[in-house]
Amino acid sequence: MSVSKVLVVGGGFTGLTTAIALAQRGVERVVVIDRARSWARVGHGLTIQGNALRVFRELGVLDRILSVGQPENALTLYFADGRVMAEMKTPRTGGDDLPATIGALRADLHEILVERAESLGVEIRLGRELASYESGPDEAISVLSDGTRERWDAIVIAEGIKSAKRAGIGISAQRGPSGLGIWRAVTTRQPEMTGGIAYPAHTGGAYKVGYTPVSDDLCYIFVLCSPVRPDNGLADWQEVKRLMADFHGPFDYLRESIDEGTFLNFQEIEWIFADGPWHSGRVIALGEVVHAVPPLIAQGAAQCVEDALLFAEHVTAAGDWETQLADFYARRLPRIRGVVEASMQLAEWELHPGTPGADPGRVMGQALGALVAAP
């Protein structure tokens, strides 16, 4: 084991799963810091693929996550007018003994991970940021925003795609635009609505609309659109209804369920892929700091938690730090590269419908099929 004291910067899915995996494997001291002053129950839903569920099983939280989520093993594809295009079975990327996917509320999953981390003795400090650090071959020194200065065997940067610390680690890759934007919402659903995606007639509305059940009566909606929110005088809920206006069938119900009280989130979709290495000395970046893609095959969270588990496996095994990380990259980078290439290809076809030879179903199926084997 090359680490006994680890600081994790960022208390999202990547940071918490890294902390849990390290603590499970006997790391003596694990501390998570996050700039948030308190955890807030906000956010939208998530589609969690089977390979993420496989990681959650290893972390000891699978049963709780399944209890708050809604399992789905297939997806209905629709034309914009509501006609069914196809029923598509979702590849079981976690193996035949796990659901292909589950839908769940982000806040529910986060609470489960926080509780699991604390039960393993992970210390969580809120309202703190990493102000600066020094890194050498054998240790790293952190200076936090409260002035605290401490020594660590490793510092893990898990702040997400907007982290400003990439360049300091020596990572030259930068986040860039995908050409897409996304609205997300959580609203009610009817019992027979079991998950679907609709493709448009391209009349100035959304590029694509989809939904995933997250409970017996709720679902998570996503609306793929231009990356720029138009200044058209509409309130957010009215803008989402405008984008969904030409989508029918189950999407009529979903559209009408949105009103001024619906929690909505809009963001430009950016992407990044740093083709390794992700570390300098004893400081390493994981998750969306170094790889983030459009959510077109729902692998963002899954690839982040795979990072966490494999990183912990390698640095708590026998061997030295540099060799451990070289082996970690050899396992991770080809797998992530496949997800990035598939996701960006799908984004290109979203932006240019009717491209000769475009076959989203094939690309999605191949990309997910390649993830069935454990990472």
Side-chain angles (χ1 to χ4, degrees), residues 69-80:
Q70 188 77 15
E72 295 291 339
N73 295 312
L75 188 67
T76 303
L77 305 182
Y78 294 91
F79 294 102

Side-chain angles (χ1 to χ4, degrees), residues 87-108:
E87 299 284 347
M88 185 176 74
K89 285 191 174 181
T90 307
R92 291 178 178 263
T93 55
D96 291 340
D97 58 337
L98 290 171
T101 68
I102 67 163
L105 294 175
R106 178 182 289 271
D108 287 342

